Amino acid sequence: MQDIKELNLVELGLVLKNWQLPAFHAEQIFSWIYTGGIVDFDQMTNLPLDLRRRLEENFYILGLKTAETLCSKDGTVKFLFELKDKNFVEAVSIPAKGRTTACLSTQVGCKLACRFCASGILGFKRNLACGEIIEELWQLKNNSPGKRITHIVLMGIGEPLENYDNVLKAIRIINSKHSFNIGARRITISTSGIIPGIKMLMNEGLQIELSISLHAADEKTRSSLMPINKKYPLRDLIAASREYI
């Protein structure tokens, strides 16, 4: 079975077309999952019964299990999610005045081995799929007071620009008015300085915010803390950041 969250609206419409069903049902399915928080196809009551059954036979909606939650007195909640392959990732909901931010992971582990970061201790396992990234947000939204997320930061486990295709597909689905409808300027990608990814991001036509994990202002110190600086040195990173702006 396939994770239905792997499909954008056009792709889901093509599935329905291949089933000889109207593509407009894709918008209804998106609304049930992303706006309504419905995780049972049988509860999507404005869909034909035969379509509901076919969706149940071919797709699933949720694939993560909540292994643990840690709550802070300020309302921040950290979730430990178990993936289908028994790996784990973390995501965090962070409330503040007038907003709730979702901090999402993009990889299981990380290969960059920054000296100050716990994510790379066990090394890199794999990239998260688009649907897994989206589900982190779904879980945070539907387990937050008021079921409301206003901002997203891709600052959890992993380097987002090392999982470029899945991250960008997830962002486009999250940004869609038929899905979570979170504006691009409320979505931030945090990178340790993957310059080719920054340059690719410039051409996406999305006004995504970019955050640079800097940690030092000179080449020698930064290289000692972040080995990636040897490949993409600070002087080139600053130039790419200015170009992105």
Side-chain angles (χ1 to χ4, degrees):
M1 295 181 72
Q2 184 181 4
D3 183 351
I4 198 167
K5 303 184 303 302
E6 286 291 311
L7 303 179
N8 61 33
L9 198 65
V10 172
E11 291 167 337
L12 184 53
L14 289 174
V15 170
L16 298 175
K17 185 177 179 180
N18 289 336
W19 290 351
Q20 298 184 328
L21 291 166
F24 72 81
H25 288 313
E27 293 183 11
Q28 295 172 316
I29 295 166
F30 260 50
S31 179
W32 281 113
I33 295 172
Y34 298 117
T35 304
I38 296 300
V39 296
D40 183 347
F41 292 116
D42 196 48
Q43 294 181 22
M44 299 180 182
T45 51
N46 60 351
L47 300 181
L49 185 58
D50 62 331
L51 173 55
R52 283 182 261 166
R53 288 175 177 168
R54 202 154 187 181
L55 288 168
E56 287 176 358
E57 291 169 358
N58 289 274
F59 295 103
Y60 65 88
I61 297 174
L62 297 186
L64 307 186
K65 294 180 181 178
T66 302
E68 186 179 7
T69 58
L70 295 173
C71 303
S72 171
K73 61 183 179 181
D74 67 358
T76 298
V77 183
K78 181 163 69 173
F79 293 80
L80 179 67
F81 293 123
E82 181 181 347
L83 310 176
K84 279 185 167 291
D85 61 3
K86 306 302 181 182
N87 280 307
F88 293 87
V89 292
E90 293 177 342
V92 186
S93 64
I94 308 166
K97 187 176 180 180
R99 62 195 287 171
T100 302
T101 300
C103 178
L104 308 180
S105 294
T106 56
Q107 296 179 311
V108 181
C110 185
K111 65 180 72 171
L112 300 187
C114 299
R115 288 181 59 191
F116 50 81
C117 182
S119 299
I121 290 175
L122 297 177
F124 173 74
K125 300 289 185 64
R126 67 172 176 86
N127 288 326
L128 289 183
C130 165
E132 291 172 322
I133 297 169
I134 290 172
E135 186 169 340
E136 290 181 80
L137 175 59
W138 190 98
Q139 294 281 4
L140 264 58
K141 176 189 174 186
N142 287 282
N143 287 284
S144 296
K147 296 187 176 182
R148 181 171 177 262
I149 296 290
T150 60
H151 294 73
I152 295 169
V153 291
L154 296 161
M155 294 183 180
I157 298 170
E159 165 55 61
L161 296 184
E162 289 278 281
N163 186 17
Y164 190 91
D165 291 341
N166 288 322
V167 166
L168 263 291
K169 186 174 184 181
I171 285 174
R172 289 188 182 278
I173 292 174
I174 290 166
N175 178 237
S176 168
K177 66 179 181 180
H178 301 290
S179 176
F180 295 101
N181 194 28
I182 295 177
R185 289 189 176 184
R186 294 187 173 194
I187 300 172
T188 300
I189 288 180
S190 177
T191 178
S192 61
I194 309 298
I195 293 175
I198 294 172
K199 290 183 178 293
M200 289 170 64
L201 204 57
M202 293 178 197
N203 299 314
E204 292 290 345
L206 287 169
Q207 293 181 324
I208 304 167
E209 297 294 323
L210 185 67
S211 175
I212 305 296
S213 184
L214 200 62
H215 293 282
D218 66 273
E219 300 285 9
K220 183 178 179 181
T221 305
R222 192 167 193 268
S223 292
S224 70
L225 293 172
M226 305 177 71
I228 193 67
N229 193 68
K230 297 172 185 176
K231 185 172 184 179
Y232 303 119
L234 190 56
R235 61 183 178 276
D236 296 336
L237 176 57
I238 296 301
S241 302
R242 286 178 174 145
E243 188 179 353
Y244 185 85
I245 292 168

